Each structure stands twice: as C-alpha cells, then as structure tokens.
Amino acid sequence: MSLPSSAPLGRPATSARTPESLLRGLARGRDSRGARAERLTHIHRVPAREASPAPFPDWVTPTLYGALTQSGVGELWSHQREAADAAHAGEHVVLSTGTASGKSLGYLLPVASDLVDGAMAPTGRAATALYLSPTKALAHDQLTRLEALALPGLRPATYDGDTPTQERRWIRDHANYVLTNPDLVHHSLLPAHERWAPFLRALRYVVIDECHVYRGVFGTHLALLLRRLRRVAARYRSYPTFVLASATVADPGAHATRLVGMPVRPVTQDGSPRAAMTFGLWEPGMIAGNGADGSPPRRRSAVAETADLLADLVAQGVQTVAFARSRTGVEVVAAAARTHLREVDPTLEGAVAAYRGGYLPEDRRELEQALRSGELMGLAATNALELGIDVHGLDAVLLAGWPGTLASLWQQAGRAGRAGEESLAVLVAADDPLDTYLVHHPEAIFDAPVEAAVLDPENPHVLGPHLAAAAAELHITQEDEAYFGPQMVPLLDALVARGILRWRPRGWFWARADRASDHVSLRGSGETVRIVEQRTGRVLGTVDDSRAHAAVHTGAVHVHRGDAYVVTELDLEDASALVVAGDPGWSTQARSVSAFNIVRVERSQEWGRLSCCFGAVQVHTQVTSFLRRLPTGEVLGEHLLDLPLRTLSTKAVWWTIPPEVLETAGIGEPDIPGAAHAAEHAAIGMLPLVATSDRWDIGGVSTALHPDTGLPTILIYDGHPGGAGFAERGYEAVRTWLTGTRDAIRACRCATGCPSCVQSPKCGNGNEPLDKAAAVVLLDVTLAAAGPGCAPGSGAGGGVSRPVTAAAPRRRGQ
C-alpha cells in the first residue's frame, strides 16, 4: 500500500508515500519538544506473503456457494479449506492464522451449509449452532455478515444483554444460529436449559471465536463453562463439533484442547496473501526536570507521544487507529489529538474519536460505522476494538505501550493494511522497564515465537463455583469426573460441608434457593460497579469490582468520552459510584498498603544460600488514601480513605537472600528495603517478557525481613484468586526473567531511578524507598547464585530488522 502524503478527509491522495518514508518523515518532524529523530529506534520490514488458494469443497450447499461467489469470493485460501473440511467431518478444529486472514469463512462453510440443509427437514430445525465471542460487538458484526448473505433457511440471531425480552423466546424457539457470549451461556442458557431443549437437541456446532483471549482466569472460566455446556448437551443426546478461531499463538492445538477438554486439530498454515508491513519502534524523548523543585528529567509518556503521532497522521489523510492500554489513556489520546488538529485545521477536529469497553451499545455502533465509512480518520481504542468488531483495512496502527503479549501486538498491528497494499505500524514505548527493553532489543519482538496461552481448569478457586453451578443445572454424579477431573469429589464434599450442595445416593444437588450462576463471574474480577451520574441517574459505564477501590473511590477523577467527572460517593453495598460532571484540573492516584503470608511452598530451587519458591500465598491490600496531581506531576495533597481490607488467596513466585550475602556485595542493612523494592518493581514490569501476562494482572510485595522466611524476600503474585499461571511461568523461566530485569535497570540512563526502570505508576508506597544501583547489585547476586541463564528462544517472525540509532535503552516500573 502507498500512504497519502496529503489528502482531503476520507479521500485518497494522488501522490503517495511508502510507509517507511512516512515513518521517517514523522521522525524528522519537529514539535514543541524539539526534534524527533532519535525517537525512532528501529525499523523492521515484515515481508509480503504469497497466496495459497484452494477450491470450494463439493459439500458446500449451493445457496451458500452462490451467495459467496456473488459477493466476490471465488475461491478459498488453503487454511479455510482445511479447517472447513475437518469441521464438516465432525473433527474438533482450531484455525490459528493472522488478522484479516478470513478465519470466519473457515467455520462459516460447514456451519451455514449444515444449517441451511437442516432447515429443509420436516422439523425445520434439524441442525443448530452456537457462536461464542468474547464481546457483544463482535457477535453483532458476525450477524451483519450473515444477514447480508440472505441464505434461505439460515435464521441467525444475537442473544445477549441487549436483546429485548420479547425477542428471546423467538430466538430460543426458531433461530438455528445463535450468536452470543460466554456470559449469556453461563447466566441464561445453561441455568434454563429446559427452555433451550429443542435447540440443544439439534446442536451440531459450537464456534468459539478469538479463542486466544481466553487465557489466565478468564480462560479457566471458559474451559469449565464449555465442560458444563458439553455435559448439558449430552443430556439431550447432542455431541457438537467444536470449531475455534484464534490469532497466532504458540501451540494452538494444545490451548484449544485445554479449553474444550477434548483433542482438537490445529490448522496453522496461513494461505492468505499479505502485503508487506513497515514496523517502527519508537521511544519518546526526555522532558527536562524542574530545577526549582529538584525533579529529575523524565521520559515523555507514550500516551502524549501517540496523540501527537495520531494527529500528524490524520492531518496527512492517513486513517489510523491508536491502541492504548487503559480506558483513561484512550480518552487522553483522543482529546489531545483533537486539540492538536484544531490548531492545524479545525475541520479535522471531529475526525478523531475514542472507543473503549464500557461504552453503551449505541455509542459503540455509532463509532464503528463512522470508522468503516471513513468519516472517522483517527480512532483511539482499547482492545475493545481489537476484539470488538472485525475492522481492518486501515492505513496505520499506533500502539501506545506494549499490549501485553506478542499475540496482541500482531493482532492489533494486523488492523492495518488495505487489500494488497503495504501498511505501517508503530510501537511507542511506555515509560516502563519492559517497553524500553523491547524497543532496544527488537529481536525480542521480531525473532521471538508468540507466547503460549496459560490456563488451569483444575484451579480449585474457579472449579468449585462451577461445580456448584453445574449441580444446579443437572445433579452431578461420579461419572462427571470425565468432565471435571479428579479434584471433583473433594471439592463437592467441601461444598456439601458449607451447605451449598446436598448429597443423596443419586449424586450431588444444589441446596439453595438462589441461582448458582450468580455466584460466578466469568471475567475473574467479581461483580461490576456502576458509574452513575448523580444529577440524572444515567449510567456512564462500569468498572470491575476488583478495581473499584482504586479507580472510583470517593474523590477520584473519572474520565468518560473526554469529559471529566468527580466521584462523590462509592457505595460498596449498592455496587455503584456516584459522579458529578466537572474537571477539577487535577488527576487522582490511589495509594495502598500490602502484606503477604506464605501458605504453602509447592516448588522450590536452592541456589546455594539463596532460594526461589513457587506456591500459595495470601496477599492483604488496603487502599488508604489518594493523591491529587496537576498535569505537571506536582502533588497538591494526600487525602485519607476509609475502605475495607481485601485479602487475595493466590499463587506467587518469591526469592530470598540472606542479609550477610547482601552485606558482602555492598548492600548494608539500611539499603535492603530500597534495593528489594526497586528490584520488585522492575521484576513486575518484566514478567510479561516470559509470561502471557499484563503488568496489571500481577502485583508484588517486598520486605527486608519477612516473618515466614526470616529473610529479605521479594514476592511477585498473580492478581486473581487461586492464581492465573503467570507467577508459575516466571518461576519456570526465572533466570531469563531476572536477567532481563537486571539488564533493563542497568541500561536505563537515569541516575537514581525513574519510571523507565524502577518506579511504578501503581506503587502504594509512593515509590519510596527505591535504590536503583543497589537493585542491580541484588539481581547480580541473585543471578550469580542461580547459575547460567537460558538463551532466549528463537522464532519465525520473519522480515528484516535494522537499527535506526544506537541509543541506549531505558525503562519503567510496575
């Protein structure tokens, strides 16, 4: 693809520039902060891929074949044909190829063919199919595509929280292709399966779209939900074929097998054509410190830098999506880009908008349509867009910070690229250890294999509530161990002891009057807290209960669609936060205190006098106050909060170092707290280097003397009840992980510590105490005791990389 050098809104330019020349032009540009030339650290070119076509199979029903050929689909790609043939033959299959490779056609062929043919049966519904997506928006997008085919006998319908009550009965009784999400299966279909009996008796396919996002606790919940679905379907003598679609992940067959609980065949050879992509790595420049208050220089934020780049690209007629990692970041990117464009060309201000999870359905639909039509030239988005709708064919993608995994990186970057044309993607490093490490170690991105998705269907904290829900659906018998594994009976007995289930000779039964499914949140985050405008009663959005104490406490500033609101009251019993409109001119940051108890050591390594362990812990956290900060970073004041203590039972990795070993290395007793705290922050920031985690999914605590170990201890834990597999992966790759952590701190050009190495944006102690130099020594001692590290794995990323500058790396904390 050639990118327009300048063009009216929504219209292509007659003169064109290559993505690389556009990228270098952005790097040569100047703004209020000076030249950008040193910010572009690396350029990688992803090569084009040739097409591998395949003919339509003979079994495709003629009406579907005709509809597809009329819409311009004259042949298939090889991966579509392979997956379709396998599913049609009744084989469970996962299709794992790149973004915009046409995965949906791979499952549409067998599903639609069988449903259309089944509609000709005397019952009118001899075959049905269930489609599951992680978001409502993606299901609605699939419905739009199905309705456009206008296939006789195919009766698709979306069934979600937005579906009116009067439509639900028609869907249950007449639809043969129900598009929904895991939450509705959990809360509606399975608890009321008798109402769905005709649909379930005819269930032939279950399609699981975007299955790569089902990892960690969310993945564990889905795996158990699918076992419950299989169990209920078997009650109606139905044994459906499971068809899964995934972005590129490591070993998709093993991941899909863990999700479904049965062997799944992987299809991974991508037969679709792909134009070349230019991928730039970008590190924001430094901002001078304030001599008046002694503050040191700091790295400009990825959000502010991305807003500038988004505005520059939109001004040049380049349709661009900028992904940010948080809802607030999305709002800030969009608002700042609109401000920049207003100064350049007021007519372009309305060409930029924000898109994130938590918007109401009508807001999402309006933004999606404007993006597709070209009315919007710039969009700031969270991964709600990555997973929310099937939008591709944009000119450029900006990523404001590392998205958490290589799979997400390539999924987001794949949004760029119109048919047969080259595209541009730019990763803008956030001010943290991992981001700065990556933009100066491009081999960790472009030569590394994508991560394996981690989930644990045997997690008792997740399995127990699902067993209770399963017993409420159908009483459980000993034979159900085939679905739920060897831990089933002990957990059932524990549920009986708590009065949740009752045991009878026929099995285990639900013993309470309420709904079992209401006690399980599939998203692994408890209930949600509504954000309600106090004056009108309008619900602005929601926030996870686990984040509510820190995000919407009384006095917090909440940003929604560019408008600021102040929280006047957080009502924990009502699960609501009341807000009033108004921008006070500052932001807020919660502060907390944490402590931990070691419950059980499950695995350990002895490194001479040092030790590294993995096991069960309890983490106690309490949000105690919040800071008010000006946009310059200046703290206006600290305000106390009265919120309850929260205790998390989870899994963690930790290591201990005797104080005399540290003393020998030059770290005296007074310096241990700062060294351990700084190493903890950097280790949290670097864990995603080896685990499929986001730094916000993990936490850490460090202490100069822990009562359970009697030694200085650094602990990194999963931020989910029962664990999510992240800390265990850190334990398994501890040398690679801690080597990267040490290198990240050492390479940072700051003198005493900054957000790019050891400071953390979510530190409950206000980043005190921190000792950068001592942290490097502590990690040197740890790695010397641990022995030789592991070489990083090589992958098949492909393409040609070349450095742009020889600038040294830097980074950030937690």
Side-chain angles (χ1 to χ4, degrees):
M1 174 182 82
S2 296
L3 295 174
S5 57
S6 178
L9 183 62
R11 292 170 51 195
T14 53
S15 60
R17 301 167 63 183
T18 65
E20 182 169 340
S21 67
L22 177 67
L23 178 60
R24 292 188 179 277
L26 292 172
R28 286 193 299 270
R30 298 184 63 88
D31 56 18
S32 59
R33 292 153 301 279
R36 289 176 173 168
E38 294 186 358
R39 303 180 195 178
L40 183 61
T41 63
H42 194 85
I43 294 176
H44 178 86
R45 185 170 175 82
V46 180
R49 180 180 59 231
E50 295 295 324
S52 176
F56 276 89
D58 294 336
W59 51 258
V60 172
T61 194
T63 54
L64 175 59
Y65 176 77
L68 290 172
T69 54
Q70 280 190 343
S71 66
V73 181
E75 60 184 0
L76 305 176
W77 308 128
S78 57
H79 63 275
Q80 296 169 330
R81 173 64 188 268
E82 182 181 353
D85 281 338
H88 181 69
E91 187 175 6
H92 307 303
V93 63
V94 57
L95 181 54
S96 178
T97 52
T99 306
S101 60
K103 290 185 287 288
S104 59
L105 190 55
Y107 56 75
L108 175 65
L109 290 176
V111 171
S113 291
D114 284 4
L115 297 189
V116 169
D117 290 344
M120 305 303 174
T123 62
R125 200 164 61 159
T128 61
L130 187 67
Y131 169 95
L132 302 180
S133 73
T135 66
K136 292 184 288 187
L138 185 56
H140 281 276
D141 185 78
Q142 289 290 318
L143 177 64
T144 300
R145 292 179 165 217
L146 291 168
E147 290 176 338
L149 293 174
L151 295 175
L154 182 64
R155 297 185 297 278
T158 55
Y159 191 96
D160 55 38
D162 299 333
T163 306
T165 303
Q166 61 270 24
E167 292 184 17
R168 296 190 174 202
R169 181 172 180 177
W170 184 93
I171 293 172
R172 291 194 301 266
D173 293 344
H174 301 288
N176 57 6
Y177 195 9
V178 174
L179 304 107
T180 185
N181 53 67
D183 307 89
L184 262 292
V185 174
H186 170 64
H187 288 291
S188 181
L189 190 154
L190 291 178
H193 60 82
E194 296 91 347
R195 298 181 184 178
W196 289 84
F199 181 90
L200 289 170
R201 285 192 186 96
L203 186 61
R204 188 168 299 179
Y205 293 101
V206 176
V207 177
I208 305 170
D209 208 355
E210 305 286 357
C211 75
H212 60 281
V213 307
Y214 298 114
R215 63 178 192 270
V217 172
F218 190 22
T220 300
H221 276 300
L222 184 82
L224 294 170
L225 179 72
L226 294 178
R227 285 155 176 76
R228 286 165 51 201
L229 175 63
R230 288 171 48 210
R231 177 173 171 266
V232 168
R235 157 72 176 76
Y236 296 98
R237 295 183 174 83
S238 177
Y239 303 91
T241 299
F242 285 80
V243 187
L244 301 92
S246 170
T248 303
V249 296
D251 202 352
H255 175 55
T257 296
R258 285 193 297 271
L259 279 175
V260 174
M262 299 181 292
V264 178
R265 170 183 170 179
V267 174
T268 59
Q269 194 65 40
D270 196 332
S272 65
R274 181 188 67 188
M277 172 188 288
T278 297
F279 208 126
L281 303 183
W282 188 287
E283 185 177 43
M286 300 294 292
I287 298 176
N290 188 335
D293 62 14
S295 61
R298 58 187 174 87
R299 182 75 59 186
R300 189 168 188 247
S301 77
V303 167
E305 194 82 357
T306 300
D308 285 355
L309 294 173
L310 178 61
D312 288 349
L313 289 166
V314 169
Q316 297 184 62
V318 179
Q319 192 177 42
T320 305
V321 60
F323 286 105
R325 294 182 295 193
S326 70
R327 295 180 175 188
T328 301
V330 165
E331 303 285 2
V332 171
V333 167
R338 286 193 294 262
T339 299
H340 296 328
L341 287 168
R342 184 168 59 242
E343 297 170 356
V344 175
D345 183 352
T347 64
L348 292 177
E349 181 183 359
V352 174
Y355 182 106
R356 58 166 175 78
Y359 278 1
L360 298 177
E362 54 269 26
D363 296 330
R364 297 197 305 263
R365 299 275 82 78
E366 180 183 342
L367 289 173
E368 291 161 5
Q369 181 55 38
L371 183 65
R372 288 171 170 172
S373 68
E375 178 184 348
L376 274 181
M377 290 298 290
L379 192 68
T382 61
N383 68 351
L385 178 65
E386 175 194 343
L387 302 175
I389 51 174
D390 192 5
V391 169
H392 55 273
L394 305 173
D395 297 319
V397 167
L398 303 172
L399 297 92
W402 175 248
T405 65
L406 281 167
S408 289
L409 177 93
W410 292 114
Q411 179 85 346
Q412 293 177 3
R415 294 296 179 189
R418 302 183 190 277
E421 299 179 336
E422 295 187 16
S423 58
L424 173 67
V426 182
L427 171 63
V428 181
D431 204 7
D432 68 65
L434 181 60
D435 285 46
T436 313
Y437 179 88
L438 290 171
V439 296
H440 291 282
H441 292 80
E443 70 281 359
I445 296 175
F446 302 116
D447 296 335
V450 291
E451 309 89 347
V454 177
L455 58 95
D456 179 16
E458 296 184 359
N459 182 333
H461 293 271
V462 184
L463 176 56
H466 277 277
L467 288 173
E473 293 153 7
L474 294 169
H475 73 274
I476 296 177
T477 66
Q478 188 76 44
E479 287 71 28
D480 288 326
E481 245 185 29
Y483 296 104
F484 300 117
Q487 287 197 81
M488 184 188 80
V489 172
L491 286 172
L492 289 171
D493 291 341
L495 292 170
V496 170
R498 292 168 56 192
I500 295 172
L501 300 182
R502 67 176 185 273
W503 184 82
R504 295 290 183 269
R506 291 175 53 219
W508 290 265
F509 294 78
W510 177 245
R512 296 169 56 167
D514 56 351
R515 286 166 50 96
S517 58
D518 290 343
H519 296 275
V520 185
S521 170
L522 296 188
R523 308 288 167 162
S525 54
E527 302 301 320
T528 58
V529 172
R530 294 169 292 118
I531 302 169
V532 182
E533 189 174 21
Q534 185 171 332
R535 185 177 61 85
T536 64
R538 181 170 66 103
V539 177
L540 299 179
T542 60
V543 62
D544 292 339
D545 175 69
S546 60
R547 295 180 55 241
H549 286 208
V552 289
H553 56 77
T554 300
V557 176
H558 173 73
V559 179
H560 176 74
R561 300 203 72 175
D563 297 323
Y565 296 81
V566 177
V567 180
T568 60
E569 180 187 2
L570 171 59
D571 188 334
L572 296 176
E573 290 187 5
D574 186 54
S576 65
L578 299 180
V579 300
V580 295
D583 186 353
W586 60 74
S587 61
T588 52
Q589 178 184 0
R591 301 189 72 177
S592 62
V593 293
S594 299
F596 68 91
N597 304 114
I598 296 172
V599 177
R600 181 176 62 257
V601 175
E602 298 180 2
R603 300 165 66 182
S604 65
Q605 305 175 42
E606 297 300 322
W607 301 335
R609 301 186 62 190
L610 281 67
S611 67
C612 179
C613 303
F614 168 79
V617 300
Q618 285 187 327
V619 181
H620 314 283
T621 304
Q622 185 174 27
V623 175
T624 58
S625 63
F626 68 95
L627 303 178
R628 290 184 298 128
R629 289 185 184 274
L630 292 174
T632 60
E634 179 185 350
V635 176
L636 294 177
E638 181 176 2
H639 305 269
L640 297 179
L641 294 168
D642 183 17
L643 289 167
L645 181 75
R646 301 177 71 110
T647 296
L648 173 70
S649 296
T650 186
K651 297 295 181 70
V653 55
W654 65 92
W655 74 97
T656 60
I657 311 176
E660 52 270 27
V661 173
L662 294 173
E663 180 75 39
T664 302
I667 302 176
E669 185 175 342
D671 301 322
I672 293 176
H677 194 195
E680 169 215 325
H681 279 186
I684 289 171
M686 292 299 291
L687 184 57
L689 183 68
V690 297
T692 56
S693 66
D694 184 280
R695 69 174 52 79
W696 302 98
D697 290 328
I698 51 184
V701 188
S702 57
T703 176
L705 178 63
H706 193 273
D708 291 341
T709 64
L711 295 168
T713 305
I714 300 172
L715 177 140
I716 311 298
Y717 63 87
D718 293 339
H720 298 277
F726 308 140
E728 185 170 18
R729 177 59 187 148
Y731 174 84
E732 293 168 347
V734 66
R735 293 172 178 82
T736 301
W737 169 33
L738 294 185
T739 298
T741 301
R742 188 267 318 275
D743 293 347
I745 302 173
R746 178 180 286 164
C748 184
R749 291 175 288 185
C750 73
T752 59
C754 69
S756 286
C757 56
V758 298
Q759 291 182 3
S760 166
K762 61 174 184 173
C763 178
N765 296 319
N767 286 303
E768 291 292 340
L770 292 175
D771 191 328
K772 173 187 175 182
V776 173
V777 175
L778 182 151
L779 289 164
D780 278 338
V781 169
T782 301
L783 290 165
C790 329
S794 61
V800 178
S801 295
R802 55 189 182 281
V804 178
T805 69
R810 298 176 8 96
R811 10 239 82 106
R812 149 172 126 193
Q814 202 169 286

